[in-house]
Amino acid sequence: FKERLYGAPVSAAPNDYQTKERAVRICENTYAVGDSVGMCRFTTKLFNSPSLPGFEQFAPQLSNVTGLDFTEDDLSAIGLNIIGVERLINHRLGVRRKDDTLPERWFNEPIKAGPYAGEKIDRAEFDAMLSRFYEIANLTDEGIPKSPWRETLERTLDNA
């Protein structure tokens, strides 16, 4: 089931670091497109529920409104470009890999209750996962789009 959602297997265990980068990559694209069509993230597919609206619902809605046809792959590429432009803007504002993180307490304070009591985010595992995410997202080690994609996005950004 998770493979159908994310295009490849993703572990459902919240404390498993392997494969989570895939889920984040797909969710970023979906949320970027959802944001663009005015959809609340809390009512968008994936992390919240597999039965909420996603690309397969956005495509016909956009066609109805604009008269343009979009495939799910088109929308995924659009989402990726939106995230790329956001990362370029953030980079111009000084945001770097060191800022692409979680609240410090998640690394230092263990969970106090429930089945994962005593656990906390492992900083080395998180960093390795971030590197894998950057790789599948076509980002540099500092989290900005790699060339030649970056040059294409920069032209778009400079002409906006």
Side-chain angles (χ1 to χ4, degrees):
F1 184 69
K2 298 268 187 239
E3 187 167 334
R4 194 175 73 219
L5 278 176
Y6 302 116
V10 173
S11 173
N15 58 346
D16 185 357
Y17 297 91
Q18 298 303 311
T19 70
K20 292 297 197 286
E21 64 276 2
R22 294 178 190 152
V24 174
R25 174 71 260 141
I26 299 300
C27 286
E28 277 197 345
N29 287 9
T30 302
Y31 291 157
V33 173
D35 290 348
S36 297
V37 299
M39 196 77 195
C40 172
R41 283 186 181 201
F42 295 109
T43 60
T44 304
K45 189 175 193 165
L46 297 175
F47 280 150
N48 301 311
S49 171
S51 62
L52 291 171
F55 294 151
E56 59 276 16
Q57 289 78 28
F58 297 156
Q61 290 171 351
L62 286 167
S63 179
N64 286 338
V65 172
T66 66
L68 303 172
D69 290 326
F70 294 95
T71 67
E72 291 178 38
D73 287 342
D74 292 335
L75 294 180
S76 182
I78 289 167
L80 183 63
N81 284 339
I82 291 168
I83 296 302
V85 168
E86 288 176 352
R87 285 191 167 269
L88 285 175
I89 291 168
N90 284 339
H91 190 263
R92 289 180 181 186
L93 295 172
V95 175
R96 301 293 187 270
R97 182 187 182 103
K98 67 178 176 44
D99 304 300
D100 213 352
T101 190
L102 299 169
E104 194 62 29
R105 67 184 289 185
W106 290 16
F107 296 106
N108 299 323
E109 297 177 26
I111 296 172
K112 294 182 178 155
Y116 300 99
E119 292 192 31
K120 55 188 174 188
I121 302 293
D122 181 284
R123 195 175 301 273
E125 289 282 358
F126 178 84
D127 191 59
M129 183 176 57
L130 184 59
S131 291
R132 292 191 307 272
F133 171 76
Y134 282 177
E135 186 60 35
I136 67 170
N138 199 24
L139 302 173
T140 69
D141 289 341
E142 283 299 316
I144 60 169
K146 292 179 181 177
S147 297
W149 180 40
R150 180 176 64 241
E151 285 81 17
T152 301
L153 294 173
E154 285 174 336
R155 281 193 301 276
T156 301
L157 187 57
D158 290 339
N159 292 327

